[in-house]
Amino acid sequence: MLKAAVLGATGNVGQIFVQLLEGHPWFETSVVAASERSKGRTYGEASRWRQSTPIPEDAAQMNVVDITPKAVKDVDIVFSALPSDVARKAEEDFAKAGYVIVSNASAHRMDPDVPMLNPEINCSHVSLIEEQRRKRKWDGAIVTNPNCSTTVLSLALKPIYDNFGINSVIVSTMQAISGAGYPGVASMDIVDNVIPYIGGEEQKMETEMQKILGSPSEPADFKVSASCHRVPTIDGHMEAVFVDTKKKAEPKAVAEAMENFVGEPQKLNLPSAPPKPVVVMKEKDRPQTRLDRMEGKGMSTVVGRIRKDPVLNGVKFLALGHNTIRGAAGCGVLNAEYLKAKKFI
Amino acid sequence: MLKAAVLGATGNVGQIFVQLLEGHPWFETSVVAASERSKGRTYGEASRWRQSTPIPEDAAQMNVVDITPKAVKDVDIVFSALPSDVARKAEEDFAKAGYVIVSNASAHRMDPDVPMLNPEINCSHVSLIEEQRRKRKWDGAIVTNPNCSTTVLSLALKPIYDNFGINSVIVSTMQAISGAGYPGVASMDIVDNVIPYIGGEEQKMETEMQKILGSPSEPADFKVSASCHRVPTIDGHMEAVFVDTKKKAEPKAVAEAMENFVGEPQKLNLPSAPPKPVVVMKEKDRPQTRLDRMEGKGMSTVVGRIRKDPVLNGVKFLALGHNTIRGAAGCGVLNAEYLKAKKFI
Amino acid sequence: MLKAAVLGATGNVGQIFVQLLEGHPWFETSVVAASERSKGRTYGEASRWRQSTPIPEDAAQMNVVDITPKAVKDVDIVFSALPSDVARKAEEDFAKAGYVIVSNASAHRMDPDVPMLNPEINCSHVSLIEEQRRKRKWDGAIVTNPNCSTTVLSLALKPIYDNFGINSVIVSTMQAISGAGYPGVASMDIVDNVIPYIGGEEQKMETEMQKILGSPSEPADFKVSASCHRVPTIDGHMEAVFVDTKKKAEPKAVAEAMENFVGEPQKLNLPSAPPKPVVVMKEKDRPQTRLDRMEGKGMSTVVGRIRKDPVLNGVKFLALGHNTIRGAAGCGVLNAEYLKAKKFI
Amino acid sequence: MLKAAVLGATGNVGQIFVQLLEGHPWFETSVVAASERSKGRTYGEASRWRQSTPIPEDAAQMNVVDITPKAVKDVDIVFSALPSDVARKAEEDFAKAGYVIVSNASAHRMDPDVPMLNPEINCSHVSLIEEQRRKRKWDGAIVTNPNCSTTVLSLALKPIYDNFGINSVIVSTMQAISGAGYPGVASMDIVDNVIPYIGGEEQKMETEMQKILGSPSEPADFKVSASCHRVPTIDGHMEAVFVDTKKKAEPKAVAEAMENFVGEPQKLNLPSAPPKPVVVMKEKDRPQTRLDRMEGKGMSTVVGRIRKDPVLNGVKFLALGHNTIRGAAGCGVLNAEYLKAKKFI
């Protein structure tokens, strides 16, 4: 078993990391680190565990340590669920100390020498690690996963991109409250309400997508327009997508391309890889957020209602994914599994 | 005071008609008609009133009558909140009997000789009444209002259409549960959920828009692509809109065009006309469904976040409107006010 | 493997039966029966499966049959999730045809010769089957489980009843929408709302409790006052309970009695028996509906905030349980397991 | 017009004070005070107005000032919506400076020389002001209103107390999220959830009730047991109440006593006095939170389902009231109206 540290372990994504690592065949949570506030308390006390499965007993007893390489010792891999402002420096410190950091923070995602992996799509980008080590003169590595909305959507776009080419993408999201962390969205702001704004989200979707779908050195050449909205759901980001394709893309052909899509994680049989990265539903009123977000243990993107678009040369459809699993901690764990399979850890 | 009948008075939109007519300066509810089920009961008993203002006392005491010209007597105008399948024949019967019907049903909306009015936009379409009477050989008239999502959005598009021209519109909706009537959406289907499908809604948005924004004889020449979704809000349809314009449209210029927009109802000072058909909010996180749906007593479309679109040649923005007021009964009442002002009643 | 039929299989509780039997070590769903509407369709088509786990593949392919012993053939046990009005006669027909019926319907619960089992509490009541067979002259048997709110609460009351005696119970419920089945509660009636009335529920709580906690021939001698309310939660009935005890009952002693409580299902190690029928939480703000309803795979009652009552001679506390698992299908499956263990099947 | 200051004006209850004073016939908001954070900004900027009616234009332009008598000048009355920890000293400072403070904070409610007024019930308690001034050696005065849940319930209990006597009260609440202020309850904590704990609330209900229903010098002699819970509603506290009465109390007689109940505010025709302090609904499923919370412009307690209690010698019923209007700012304004009518201002 490889020993893992979780940075930012008391937050919502941090808790999902700890939850996903429980019973994991390769990794075990051996250190939990969090901010000053939690210092000197056990993880059980500090986390105010808010998941619907019980807190793992081992983790509950651990003492929370500082977010520094000095305090986090003797681990084989570091998962980061840090807020972005803290992440920038902290993750660099860990990389300098020789650790491989698998991070959900946005701080380093767009750095040209940092792989932003959604492993079914672009695991070849791990090649950037070499460049990163050379340029930054460290032995560790920072590997990131994309923003939650981008992760979910990029899985659905990959088979379109490969089979039909993409000129542009317009996307309107209906995002769950857990995406804002805890305490995050005030209940007065979301019960019987839609908030038509999520800070930084549109800009992330409009730039990360091309990095993921491109080559390690060159982003993909298409434009994305995003409008991001918060709706009263707990987990699961639903996205209405309109794609202008280079080649003619009949809905049926698009559905087939999605259903046939598999990536390296499936070929390598990685523990967290869903059987199908993209699941296509036929029912006219699916996917639905509450019913379908756990598809593939929360690791699949579920697509439905693929239909010809009357405005663009292409298709429109719905894509749904679990924002804190596939869109955050789950993607991080899958990235770590890939890194291990490829001997980076 | 003109006497009004409300057909389908026990349903949700029917109740809103009765609610809006309470204290109206020109019209009063004098007959309530509903299906067999309600026969022989007072409106108070039959309606199981579910609004957050009390049932108007006069209406509560009325006996519910059949939906036939024979049972509905001595009224000056007929408001129809009938389900579409019932509306087709029933509304024709009333028109034959000489009544002017102001209808929220979709049955006759797309008939070429039936005006579909959103009166700030296209009140000139009342000229179709003449053709309708000639062709159908009746003395009454059927006048409709558009589908709720279309009504809300068309107000925001009109100033764009007039000032910049429109090539195409892509719209993704987040619609309230009241749009499905009562009992409508099952709670098991919507709590902590998004339903990515509303029967017939996309097709309505993709065809009604051009009829409203066109001339009486010719629909406007642009395409609409809609993706319609139900979210857990009570009232208020929020729409994410992406518009490709003919002329260059800077966000600031679009905002000004919207703010300066007024229509005939404002010029005629009609009782239900909101001061501004389109209200533009500056805050980065507005409009919000719960906070802003009652703008202009529920008769305004509230627009926010007008920004350049990175994909289309144009703008993207949010538009919000109250689906059962502006999007249904309120638009009907405003239509009736216009018809009276123009001596059609 | 014993073959099971599920009557009323397309409804919400029916679906939970099918869900719980998937992978069950002793029983397998081999027949699904439902009303006329579903006839001639596969279960996959007819059920419009609405659970968050996928429909079991075998069940999806089955043809739905009529709710008659003639149509339901070759099964070892019959689970009934029928609506009460249909259940009365249908269940008698099956009993006459020699089947053992484990029913969630209320129709026969209060019949003196029908066991209403919550098996940790009163599995000795199976002795009523003998009387039932003699009186009703049939070879089969009808065994019921209590109403959902009663099931949840009775587990928490049993250790109090045994250790301190009970003079009276006052209970105020906050019940989930799934308790009303599907489509059940209209969303317009429950979003941002509390409905302070659930038809028949209070009367059930005020009579079923004494039958369960009593002997087979004599109900327990205490009074219950219930006030039942629907709140906007998906699953999980939360109950605020005030108990007047015969002996002095300190909160700490009550907690201990609850934690030490086990019943026959635990002793027999039945597959669906939760490790602890009653789980006591120490945190001041627990149990919470969303976080704790799946405790013991949805089969435990979770109790919290046990405190001295300032009015009654006794304690007040919160009790939470999963209404469609412990409170319905899960209790039925546990009853069936007990019946099999005791050779009734 | 009397000039009013609102302390804590940017919070949720502060905003309701400003909203209720807009267009008030006697008072006008002339100073808005808030904590350091808001200093040097206009109220429009600082408040992030979150009500569903627009921010009053005059107030929006005001500069926010410090919460000190020095900064708040030239006002005739001071409304306090301060958090309790700040309120204790600040309100005393204002009283020393000669102001009459009408406070929603809990800090001084239980002080024996401070009236806690729910004016239909106990406006005679203003006599305590004299004692307060004498003991505390100040010219101003502190007058409080009760906790929101207590305010709502006490209106319903008063006619029972007067007509039948009360031995004890058991109450289980279903409280809205606005009761926790803003940001208050995290959305992750309340969507699809019930939180069975509200800090301090039960203790307030169990002690404030007797002070209100008693004489100025002596609390009423009965016991209250409360269990307080948060449910996913925006506004409106629903309470399930079980009352043990001294005299026999038939539900019909209780309903009549409630319907006939009026207090001084009604007799004096105060501007904010609802026509009926207690409205009794006959429908079996009312009151409902969303539909009935605005009864009497949010100033009435709405009672329903009065029925014989099978455990206690008395009745059980539901009581609903608007927590931020009747239960907070609205009660404060009504108190101020009473003080003015009685020349205390």
Side-chain angles (χ1 to χ4, degrees):
Chain A
M1 292 293 284
L2 297 180
K3 290 180 175 177
V6 177
L7 311 183
T10 55
N12 196 52
V13 171
Q15 294 190 13
I16 310 277
F17 269 120
V18 173
Q19 188 185 41
L20 293 175
L21 294 181
E22 191 187 15
H24 192 281
W26 298 353
F27 307 121
E28 65 181 0
T29 303
S30 69
V31 178
V32 287
S35 69
E36 276 298 309
R37 266 197 318 283
S38 302
K39 213 176 162 172
R41 297 154 78 193
T42 64
Y43 184 60
E45 291 157 8
S47 67
R48 286 194 60 225
W49 190 256
R50 288 173 307 273
Q51 309 308 319
S52 52
T53 56
I55 186 168
E57 280 181 39
D58 285 358
Q61 304 308 323
M62 291 177 192
N63 287 308
V64 179
V65 305
D66 276 348
I67 305 164
T68 60
K70 198 178 149 190
V72 174
K73 276 173 289 200
D74 297 327
V75 299
D76 304 298
I77 183 167
V78 174
F79 292 102
S80 165
L82 293 171
S84 210
D85 53 341
V86 178
R88 177 159 292 282
K89 176 153 186 317
E91 294 178 1
E92 290 172 0
D93 290 346
F94 277 88
K96 279 177 204 159
Y99 290 104
V100 174
I101 325 295
V102 173
S103 171
N104 181 55
S106 65
H108 292 285
R109 277 183 204 150
M110 294 301 291
D111 294 359
D113 59 348
V114 171
M116 175 165 52
L117 296 187
N118 197 4
E120 278 88 347
I121 298 175
N122 67 336
C123 49
S124 69
H125 290 205
V126 289
S127 63
L128 289 170
I129 289 177
E130 206 174 320
E131 184 190 337
Q132 183 189 128
R133 285 175 170 165
R134 200 177 58 239
K135 281 174 59 179
R136 309 217 189 195
K137 303 190 191 347
W138 59 37
D139 297 328
I142 299 176
V143 171
T144 63
N145 55 260
N147 163 276
C148 48
S149 306
T150 308
T151 307
V152 166
L153 178 52
S154 57
L155 284 178
L157 290 182
K158 173 67 171 167
I160 298 179
Y161 185 74
D162 286 352
N163 288 277
F164 308 97
I166 292 179
N167 285 318
S168 63
V169 176
I170 290 176
V171 56
S172 169
T173 68
M174 291 162 276
Q175 299 183 222
I177 55 177
S178 62
Y182 185 85
V185 181
S187 56
M188 290 283 284
D189 282 339
I190 200 66
V191 174
D192 183 19
N193 203 16
V194 171
I195 308 175
Y197 175 73
I198 301 175
E201 193 85 354
E202 294 172 359
Q203 199 254 342
K204 286 174 193 165
M205 290 195 82
E206 293 178 358
T207 56
E208 295 182 2
M209 199 69 77
Q210 295 89 333
K211 177 167 176 174
I212 307 168
L213 286 170
S215 73
S217 58
E218 180 110 33
D221 183 24
F222 61 80
K223 288 199 171 149
V224 177
S225 174
S227 194
C228 293
H229 322 108
R230 191 80 67 193
V231 298
T233 54
I234 297 279
D235 290 312
H237 287 356
M238 178 78 81
E239 313 188 18
V241 192
F242 308 79
V243 187
D244 192 295
T245 54
K246 289 193 192 297
K247 290 190 216 157
K248 191 173 170 169
E250 289 296 333
K252 217 184 134 193
V254 170
E256 274 168 25
M258 288 176 172
E259 283 174 327
N260 294 332
F261 171 59
V262 289
E264 282 296 300
Q266 283 73 34
K267 290 171 194 161
L268 295 168
N269 212 12
L270 299 180
S272 300
K276 290 179 157 213
V278 185
V279 171
V280 179
M281 297 190 78
K282 308 291 188 217
E283 295 85 346
K284 69 180 177 184
D285 60 353
R286 301 293 276 265
Q288 291 185 16
T289 304
R290 186 168 67 82
L291 298 182
D292 301 315
R293 62 193 169 203
M294 284 305 292
E295 184 67 42
K297 296 189 179 166
M299 288 296 285
S300 296
T301 288
V302 190
V303 167
R305 302 196 68 218
I306 306 174
R307 52 216 196 282
K308 227 176 158 44
D309 190 82
V311 163
L312 304 175
N313 174 40
V315 289
K316 53 181 170 181
F317 59 86
L318 276 298
L320 167 75
H322 196 296
N323 54 300
T324 61
I325 301 180
R326 182 72 205 202
C331 190
V333 172
L334 187 60
N335 281 343
E337 291 166 4
Y338 181 76
L339 291 169
K340 183 188 173 303
K342 292 296 179 182
K343 319 271 189 218
F344 284 86
I345 307 173
Chain B
M1 292 294 283
L2 296 180
K3 290 179 175 177
V6 177
L7 311 183
T10 55
N12 196 51
V13 171
Q15 294 190 14
I16 310 278
F17 268 120
V18 172
Q19 188 186 41
L20 294 175
L21 293 182
E22 191 187 16
H24 193 280
W26 298 355
F27 306 121
E28 64 181 4
T29 303
S30 69
V31 178
V32 287
S35 69
E36 278 298 309
R37 267 198 315 284
S38 302
K39 214 175 162 173
R41 296 155 78 193
T42 64
Y43 184 61
E45 293 157 7
S47 68
R48 286 195 59 226
W49 188 258
R50 289 173 307 272
Q51 310 306 318
S52 52
T53 56
I55 187 169
E57 281 183 36
D58 285 359
Q61 305 308 322
M62 290 177 192
N63 287 308
V64 179
V65 304
D66 276 349
I67 305 165
T68 59
K70 198 177 150 190
V72 174
K73 275 174 288 198
D74 297 327
V75 297
D76 302 299
I77 183 167
V78 174
F79 292 103
S80 165
L82 294 172
S84 212
D85 53 341
V86 179
R88 179 159 290 284
K89 177 155 185 316
E91 293 179 1
E92 290 174 358
D93 290 346
F94 277 87
K96 280 178 202 158
Y99 290 105
V100 173
I101 324 295
V102 173
S103 171
N104 181 56
S106 65
H108 292 285
R109 276 183 204 151
M110 294 302 290
D111 293 359
D113 59 348
V114 170
M116 175 164 53
L117 296 187
N118 196 3
E120 278 88 346
I121 298 174
N122 66 336
C123 49
S124 69
H125 289 205
V126 289
S127 63
L128 288 171
I129 289 178
E130 207 175 319
E131 184 190 336
Q132 182 189 127
R133 285 174 170 168
R134 199 175 58 240
K135 282 174 59 179
R136 308 218 189 192
K137 301 191 193 340
W138 60 37
D139 297 328
I142 298 175
V143 171
T144 63
N145 54 261
N147 162 276
C148 47
S149 306
T150 308
T151 307
V152 166
L153 178 52
S154 57
L155 284 178
L157 290 181
K158 172 68 172 167
I160 299 179
Y161 185 73
D162 286 352
N163 289 276
F164 309 97
I166 292 179
N167 286 318
S168 63
V169 176
I170 289 175
V171 55
S172 169
T173 69
M174 291 161 275
Q175 301 185 219
I177 53 176
S178 62
Y182 184 88
V185 181
S187 56
M188 290 283 285
D189 282 338
I190 200 66
V191 174
D192 182 20
N193 202 16
V194 171
I195 310 174
Y197 174 73
I198 302 175
E201 193 84 353
E202 294 172 0
Q203 197 254 343
K204 287 174 193 167
M205 290 195 81
E206 293 178 358
T207 55
E208 295 182 3
M209 199 68 78
Q210 295 90 331
K211 177 168 177 174
I212 306 168
L213 285 169
S215 72
S217 58
E218 180 111 32
D221 183 24
F222 61 82
K223 287 199 171 149
V224 176
S225 175
S227 194
C228 293
H229 322 108
R230 191 80 68 193
V231 298
T233 55
I234 297 279
D235 289 311
H237 287 357
M238 178 78 82
E239 311 188 19
V241 192
F242 308 78
V243 187
D244 192 295
T245 54
K246 288 192 192 299
K247 291 191 217 158
K248 191 174 170 168
E250 289 296 333
K252 218 185 133 191
V254 170
E256 274 168 26
M258 287 176 172
E259 282 173 328
N260 294 330
F261 170 58
V262 288
E264 283 295 301
Q266 284 72 33
K267 291 173 192 159
L268 294 169
N269 212 11
L270 298 180
S272 301
K276 290 179 157 215
V278 185
V279 171
V280 179
M281 298 190 77
K282 308 291 187 216
E283 295 85 347
K284 70 179 176 184
D285 60 353
R286 300 294 275 265
Q288 290 185 16
T289 304
R290 186 168 66 83
L291 298 182
D292 301 314
R293 61 192 169 203
M294 285 304 292
E295 184 67 42
K297 296 187 179 166
M299 289 295 287
S300 296
T301 288
V302 190
V303 167
R305 305 197 65 221
I306 307 174
R307 54 216 195 281
K308 230 177 155 43
D309 190 84
V311 164
L312 305 176
N313 174 39
V315 289
K316 54 182 170 180
F317 59 87
L318 275 298
L320 167 75
H322 196 296
N323 54 301
T324 60
I325 301 181
R326 182 72 205 202
C331 191
V333 172
L334 188 59
N335 281 344
E337 291 167 3
Y338 181 75
L339 291 170
K340 182 188 173 302
K342 292 297 180 181
K343 319 275 189 213
F344 282 86
I345 307 171
Chain C
M1 292 290 285
L2 297 180
K3 291 182 176 177
V6 177
L7 310 184
T10 56
N12 195 52
V13 171
Q15 294 190 14
I16 310 277
F17 269 120
V18 173
Q19 188 185 41
L20 294 175
L21 293 182
E22 191 186 15
H24 192 281
W26 299 354
F27 306 121
E28 65 182 0
T29 303
S30 68
V31 178
V32 285
S35 69
E36 277 299 309
R37 266 198 316 284
S38 303
K39 213 176 165 173
R41 296 155 77 194
T42 63
Y43 185 59
E45 291 157 9
S47 68
R48 286 193 59 226
W49 189 257
R50 287 174 308 272
Q51 310 307 319
S52 52
T53 56
I55 186 169
E57 281 182 38
D58 286 358
Q61 305 309 323
M62 290 176 192
N63 287 307
V64 179
V65 305
D66 276 349
I67 305 163
T68 59
K70 198 177 150 190
V72 174
K73 275 174 290 201
D74 296 327
V75 298
D76 302 300
I77 183 167
V78 174
F79 291 103
S80 165
L82 294 172
S84 210
D85 53 341
V86 178
R88 178 159 290 283
K89 177 157 184 315
E91 294 178 1
E92 290 173 359
D93 289 347
F94 277 88
K96 279 177 203 158
Y99 290 104
V100 173
I101 325 295
V102 173
S103 171
N104 182 55
S106 65
H108 292 285
R109 278 183 203 148
M110 295 300 291
D111 293 359
D113 58 348
V114 170
M116 174 164 54
L117 295 188
N118 197 3
E120 278 88 347
I121 298 175
N122 66 336
C123 50
S124 69
H125 289 204
V126 290
S127 64
L128 289 170
I129 289 177
E130 206 174 322
E131 183 189 338
Q132 184 190 126
R133 286 175 170 166
R134 199 176 59 242
K135 282 174 59 181
R136 308 216 189 196
K137 301 188 192 348
W138 60 37
D139 296 328
I142 299 176
V143 171
T144 64
N145 56 260
N147 164 275
C148 47
S149 306
T150 308
T151 307
V152 166
L153 179 52
S154 57
L155 284 178
L157 290 182
K158 172 67 172 168
I160 299 179
Y161 185 74
D162 286 352
N163 288 278
F164 309 97
I166 292 180
N167 286 317
S168 63
V169 176
I170 288 176
V171 55
S172 168
T173 69
M174 291 162 276
Q175 300 184 221
I177 54 175
S178 62
Y182 184 86
V185 181
S187 57
M188 291 283 285
D189 282 339
I190 200 66
V191 174
D192 183 20
N193 203 16
V194 171
I195 310 175
Y197 174 74
I198 301 175
E201 193 85 352
E202 295 172 359
Q203 199 253 343
K204 286 174 192 165
M205 290 195 81
E206 293 177 357
T207 56
E208 294 182 2
M209 199 69 78
Q210 296 89 331
K211 177 166 176 174
I212 307 168
L213 287 169
S215 72
S217 58
E218 180 111 33
D221 183 23
F222 61 82
K223 286 198 173 150
V224 177
S225 174
S227 193
C228 293
H229 322 107
R230 191 80 67 192
V231 299
T233 54
I234 298 279
D235 289 312
H237 287 356
M238 178 78 82
E239 313 188 19
V241 193
F242 308 79
V243 186
D244 192 293
T245 53
K246 287 192 192 300
K247 289 190 216 158
K248 192 174 170 168
E250 289 297 332
K252 217 184 133 192
V254 170
E256 274 169 25
M258 288 175 172
E259 282 174 326
N260 294 332
F261 170 58
V262 288
E264 282 295 301
Q266 284 73 35
K267 291 172 194 159
L268 294 169
N269 212 11
L270 299 180
S272 301
K276 289 179 157 213
V278 185
V279 171
V280 179
M281 297 190 79
K282 307 290 187 217
E283 295 85 346
K284 70 181 174 182
D285 60 354
R286 300 292 277 265
Q288 292 185 16
T289 304
R290 185 168 68 83
L291 299 181
D292 302 315
R293 62 193 169 202
M294 285 305 293
E295 184 66 42
K297 297 189 179 165
M299 289 295 287
S300 295
T301 288
V302 190
V303 167
R305 303 195 67 219
I306 307 173
R307 52 217 196 281
K308 226 177 157 46
D309 190 84
V311 163
L312 305 174
N313 174 40
V315 289
K316 52 181 170 181
F317 59 86
L318 275 297
L320 167 75
H322 197 296
N323 54 301
T324 60
I325 301 180
R326 182 71 205 203
C331 191
V333 172
L334 188 60
N335 281 344
E337 291 167 2
Y338 181 76
L339 291 170
K340 182 188 172 303
K342 292 296 179 182
K343 319 272 190 217
F344 283 86
I345 306 172
Chain D
M1 292 292 285
L2 297 179
K3 290 180 175 177
V6 178
L7 310 183
T10 56
N12 195 52
V13 170
Q15 294 190 12
I16 310 277
F17 269 121
V18 172
Q19 187 185 42
L20 294 176
L21 294 181
E22 191 188 14
H24 192 281
W26 298 354
F27 306 121
E28 64 181 2
T29 304
S30 68
V31 178
V32 286
S35 70
E36 277 298 309
R37 266 199 315 284
S38 303
K39 213 176 164 174
R41 296 155 78 194
T42 63
Y43 184 59
E45 291 156 9
S47 67
R48 286 194 60 225
W49 189 257
R50 288 174 307 273
Q51 309 308 318
S52 51
T53 56
I55 185 169
E57 282 182 36
D58 285 359
Q61 304 308 323
M62 291 177 192
N63 287 308
V64 179
V65 305
D66 275 349
I67 305 164
T68 61
K70 200 178 148 188
V72 174
K73 276 174 287 199
D74 297 327
V75 297
D76 303 300
I77 183 167
V78 173
F79 292 104
S80 165
L82 294 171
S84 211
D85 52 341
V86 179
R88 176 160 292 285
K89 177 155 184 318
E91 293 179 0
E92 290 173 359
D93 289 346
F94 278 87
K96 279 177 202 159
Y99 291 104
V100 174
I101 325 295
V102 172
S103 172
N104 181 56
S106 66
H108 293 285
R109 276 184 204 149
M110 294 301 290
D111 293 358
D113 59 348
V114 170
M116 175 164 53
L117 296 188
N118 197 3
E120 279 88 346
I121 297 174
N122 67 335
C123 48
S124 69
H125 290 205
V126 289
S127 63
L128 289 170
I129 290 177
E130 207 175 321
E131 184 190 337
Q132 181 189 128
R133 285 174 170 167
R134 198 177 58 241
K135 282 175 59 179
R136 308 218 188 192
K137 302 192 194 338
W138 59 38
D139 296 328
I142 297 175
V143 172
T144 63
N145 55 260
N147 163 276
C148 48
S149 305
T150 309
T151 308
V152 166
L153 178 52
S154 58
L155 284 178
L157 290 182
K158 173 66 173 169
I160 298 179
Y161 185 73
D162 287 351
N163 288 276
F164 309 97
I166 292 179
N167 286 319
S168 64
V169 176
I170 289 175
V171 56
S172 169
T173 69
M174 291 161 275
Q175 300 185 220
I177 54 176
S178 62
Y182 183 87
V185 181
S187 56
M188 290 284 285
D189 282 339
I190 200 67
V191 174
D192 183 19
N193 203 15
V194 171
I195 309 174
Y197 174 73
I198 301 175
E201 193 85 352
E202 294 173 358
Q203 197 253 343
K204 287 174 192 167
M205 290 195 81
E206 294 177 356
T207 57
E208 295 183 3
M209 199 68 78
Q210 297 88 334
K211 177 167 176 174
I212 307 168
L213 286 169
S215 72
S217 58
E218 181 111 33
D221 183 24
F222 61 82
K223 286 198 173 149
V224 176
S225 174
S227 194
C228 293
H229 322 108
R230 192 79 67 192
V231 297
T233 55
I234 297 279
D235 289 311
H237 287 357
M238 179 77 83
E239 312 186 20
V241 192
F242 309 78
V243 188
D244 192 295
T245 54
K246 287 193 191 300
K247 291 190 216 157
K248 190 174 173 170
E250 289 296 332
K252 216 183 135 193
V254 170
E256 274 168 25
M258 288 177 172
E259 283 173 328
N260 295 332
F261 170 58
V262 289
E264 282 297 298
Q266 284 72 33
K267 290 172 192 159
L268 294 168
N269 211 13
L270 298 180
S272 300
K276 289 179 157 213
V278 185
V279 171
V280 179
M281 297 189 78
K282 308 290 187 217
E283 293 86 347
K284 69 180 176 185
D285 60 354
R286 301 293 275 268
Q288 291 185 16
T289 304
R290 187 169 67 84
L291 298 182
D292 300 315
R293 62 193 169 202
M294 284 304 293
E295 184 68 41
K297 296 188 179 167
M299 289 295 287
S300 296
T301 287
V302 190
V303 167
R305 304 196 67 219
I306 307 172
R307 53 219 195 280
K308 227 175 158 45
D309 190 83
V311 163
L312 305 175
N313 174 40
V315 288
K316 52 181 170 181
F317 58 88
L318 275 298
L320 167 76
H322 196 295
N323 54 302
T324 61
I325 301 180
R326 183 71 204 202
C331 191
V333 172
L334 187 60
N335 281 345
E337 291 166 3
Y338 181 75
L339 291 170
K340 183 188 171 305
K342 292 297 180 183
K343 319 273 188 214
F344 283 87
I345 307 173

